[in-house]
Structures are given as C-alpha cells and as structure tokens.
Amino acid sequence: MDWPERVFNDKGRAAPARTGRGEPISALIDRRRLLLGAAALSLAPVAASAAGGLGFPPLSLSIGPREAIAAGYRRDIVLRWGDPLWSNAAPFDPSRPDSDAAARQFGFNNDYTAFLPLEDGEPDRGLLVVNHEYPNPHLMFGALQEASAAAEMSLEQVRVTMAACGMSVVELRRANGVWKAVLDSPFNRRVTATTPVRISGPAAGHPRLRTAADPSGRAVLGTHDNCNGGVTPWGTVLSGEEGSADFFGGDVSRHPDPAHLARNHYADLEPHGRYGWARADRRFDINHEPNEPNRFEWVVEIDPFDPDAAPVKRTALGRFAHEGAQCALAPDGRVVVYLGDDWEYEYCYRFVTAQPFDPNNRAANRDLLDEGVLSVARFSAEGTVDWLPLVYGVGPLTTENGFHSQGDVLVETRRAADLLGATPMDSPEGYLPDPKTGRIIIALTGADEARTAGTNAANPRDENAAGHLLELVPPDTGLGPDHAADRFAWTIFALCGDPAKPGEGARFHPAAGPEDWFEAPDNLAFDAVGRLWVCTDGPGRRDHDGLWVMATDGEARAWPRLFYSPPAGAECCSPAFTPDGSGLFLAVQHPAEGAASLAEVTERWPERDPALAPRPSVIFISRIDGGSILGQHT
Ligand code: FEO
Ligand code: CA
Ligand code: CA
C-alpha cells in the first residue's frame, strides 16, 4: 500500500493556520455563570495550540481523566439516567428500586443518539432517540460489588436494570439556548427489555426463533445491548443489538447447539448472566429457552414519529454484534446500510435494499429493509474491496453446509461469512459514509487477542491495541458514488497510536504535533462542513477518552484535535448535530466505570453529590457566544 502518498496527496485549499489561547479560567467561569445561571458547569478550559482551521483551540492531552471542553464552548446536561419522561413518573431514587418508575424514566448508559427535527421545522424543537446499552448494577445501587452484583441484586433491582436498558424517544424543546425534555409529550416513549417487538424479514418465523412464549417466532419481548445506530432516509432510527451474550446465563455445554453459540462468542456464561437477568426472567437462561439468543443481535427499526408502532427487528440485515447501521443512497435510489460486527476479527457488512427509497411516500418505505442483499467485505492487498453476497444457494451457502433457507443464512450470518472468505477485521465500530464525498470511513477500535488468522492488508498490525481508520471509495458512476457496486477501493486513513513512539507504526498527518493523536476510535460523525468527529473508547495507554475532530480532505487531512474529554471512567458517544449548526448532542456513557463499587467512585458525575450515583447523561455542546459550531473562529 502506497502510504502516505495516497493519503496526503490532496491538493485542497490550505487550511488557514489559526492560533487560539485559552481564556483565563476565572473569566470563563464568570461568563459561563452569567450565561448558565446556578446550574453552570465549572469546566476549566485547557490551553490551546494552533486551531489548524478546525474552528476551536484544541485541548491538551495532558488534562488527565476529567471533563474538559475546548475554550469558547459550553456544555449543558440535557437528560440524565432516571430523569422522568412523564409527570406521573416517580422521582429518581435508586435507593428505592422501582421497575415501573424506571420504565418511565430516561434509561442508563446512553450510547447512540439521533436528533430528528419535527416536521414543523421549528429549530427549537425535535426528537432525541437514544440507545441505553447495558447496566452497571454496582454503580446504580449501593452496597453491591461488581464481581458479585449479578447474584446479590434484589429481584426488583434486576428488573430496574431491565427497564433502564433499551431505548428512549424524548421530545426536546430549547429555551434560552438550553434543551430540556418535554414531560408528557405524546412522542415520549421507552422501549425496555419487556416491550413487544416485531420480528420481520427472511428469518421471521424461523424454527430457530420460536420459543415456548412465542411459537410464531415473530414476536419478541424487548431489545438489549443497543449500541450505535443510524437514521434512515425516511426518518426512522436503526439500533444495533450488539453482543448479547452478557445478558444470558446458563451452561453453553448443555445447550443443544454449543457450536452455534461458540461461533457467536457465547462462552463461560455466568449462571444468571452478567446482570442477573435470568433470575428475573427464565428466558434469559439458555438451558431453559435455547432459542431466545437467536431473537437478539439484530438491527431494530423504530419510528419515533409513530409512538404506537412496535419496533421491528429487521432480520434481512443479519445477525451478529451490530455496532451501528448507517445509511446511504445508491444512484438508483436503493438504500445501502453499512453494518459492522464489533468483535475482534469479525467482519464488515453491507445491505442493499431490493427496492428504491420513495422520497414522496413515507409509508412506501416502511418495510424496505425486509428485502435485499446482505454482503460481507473481502479486502485485497491490491486496494480493492469485494462485496460477497450472503444469499442462500449461492456459492457455499447450500444444504450440504447446513443452510436450508435464507433464514438459516441470517441466523448464522457469521458462519456463512466464514465460508465466503470474508476479511477478519480489528473490531469494526464506526462505519460511516461521508454525505459530501461518498467515501466511507471505518473505525477499527483495535484487537488485543492473539491473531490466529494472521494479518491482512487492511488490518496490517500483528498487535493492534491502538486501532486504525480505513477509507472505502465506491466507484463514481457519473451520477454520484455507487454504494451498491460490487467492488470498491480502499486505503488506510490513519494508523492510530502515538507517532512519536518508535516501533508503534502510528501514522496521522505527517505534520501532526505530539498531542495530535488518539487511539481506540469508535463512533464517527460528519458535520455539515465535512469535518469528521471521532469518539474514542477505552484507549489502552491513555487514561481518558475523548471527542476528536479532523478534516478528511485538504492539507489538514487526518490531523486530529481534541475537542472534549468526558469525566473519569466515561466514554463519549455518538455526536448528533442540530441542523441549524448551533451545537451537538453527545452521550456520556458509564461515568466512573472501572470502580468496583459505588464506595470507590471518586467523582459522581454530573452532580458530584455524594448522595447520588454517577449518572450517564446526554449533553449538548454549543458555543458560549451563541454562534454556529461550524464557523471558523478561535
Ligand atoms: Fe457498544 Fe461496540 O461498542
Ligand atoms: Ca461503540
Ligand atoms: Ca466500543
């Protein structure tokens, strides 16, 4: 691969060099108090280096594990775990566990966040759709230790964790620059581990999806491990069910199909599951209900504009550890969904609908995701990506290999992809088409386990603790990028890690400074001016995560700057921009994670109140002066 020329040979307009200096801390806090009132956040800005044309003075890497934001910006708390969504919901009080109350409050561990304007186009109103990925029982309730919480929680505490997972839809309104939930909005909605969800597509009704409670194989209770997602062109939200094994308990060796479970990374389950769910509901015991796992790890579609419509698991998009589901349109109007399987040495997928998107008839798109072709990526050393169709009867996906229908292929997506010779990847997470260029960036968070299959051109490191970013380039038909083409080109966008460390092999922009690097890239977002925003998750050698911004074109391509640092123990997820450029929503997930119990937590973010647990929260970031976050300024 011709690194770095292919990466840095853009002849784009020079990004103007800018300098920026952090304001004196006291001045900033004083101004923020004026702007924000008593609830003002006391975040110290951190001295800046050159802004590099990105519109903000970047944070220094040396800030350590604490919350900080680039000078000139503020953040407001929008929604916290436990905030009521209806006026008759009981107030947040985890010392009195109440699962009915929890199902009427904002959930735990917010990950994916989508902001959808309402049809009236009012800029101060919209719907926030949020995934609640998993519980941290030992940080939700006092007197529990992480190692023993699953066995020691009360059954009502377990039920609270089940009600705190899933999804939220919340109407927001903005007043004086601050977004707040609209209590009792008809759009407000919680989807929990017990909400009826429809199963559709080729695997719906499959014998391996039938259970004692649902002999039809078409109706499941709940969704869980909802990680990242995407928004469809018709304004519904897709939610990836990722890595369900933690939610199940039992003995894999006593399951009727242990090979199937093993291929899907079910190994050494705890007796009642990591969060004790099998104690409260026996369907989460794989020995009691062997098919229940097959009813998870799908992509769920929810229509936030229709609170009465059940969420739907779209089985045509395959079954694996779905990180997210980001959409693009092919020139002929077919919808393309990019799907990563977030596990070490798993694969990158793509789904192409059979029918085109109809922009004039929303109802016509309702079941578009039930019919189409799922493919898996094979990367060549020559710089091409081939999309291999996962279609029953094609190639090795036949009866002699145990596939008797398309439903079989989808329930065992990973085994089918193995047989096609897909390329094992270093944990695909963010996987996002750039709406301006049509190129696709893939964030590979990294891989720590032994690489038994050897390296490959797209995953070139023997050990890849730091991760990397790939760029895919669909062919241009003259009508725009053809996301449905059989063959793309690819290149490495960045190899993450510290470029100053010899032997690391890290590569960002050649002129990037000693603080302009990150590792463990996870969520990605493009803003309206084409900047790429990258959230990290669990960097191995850095003591905190961050939100980074960089250009993907021009002379500053692949030159990252740190914009926001979440509180200790947290990752920040899923930047979601308002259409008016006034700011972005950001999910701050699992604050204080790493502490073995609440007693060990040193900072109970965001209130910092010793009487309260740390609370995962969605924040909104905007400029203190009220200007657009997309402008060039220091
Ligand atoms: Fe839920 Fe892949 O992070
Ligand atoms: Ca993620
Ligand atoms: Ca992650």
Side-chain angles (χ1 to χ4, degrees), residues 46-60:
V46 178
S49 58
L54 287 172
F56 65 88
L59 296 174
S60 162

Side-chain angles (χ1 to χ4, degrees), residues 111 133 227 242 323 342 429 522:
D111 190 318
E133 189 172 14
C227 187
E242 182 193 42
E323 169 75 17
D342 182 14
E429 296 215 58
D522 188 336

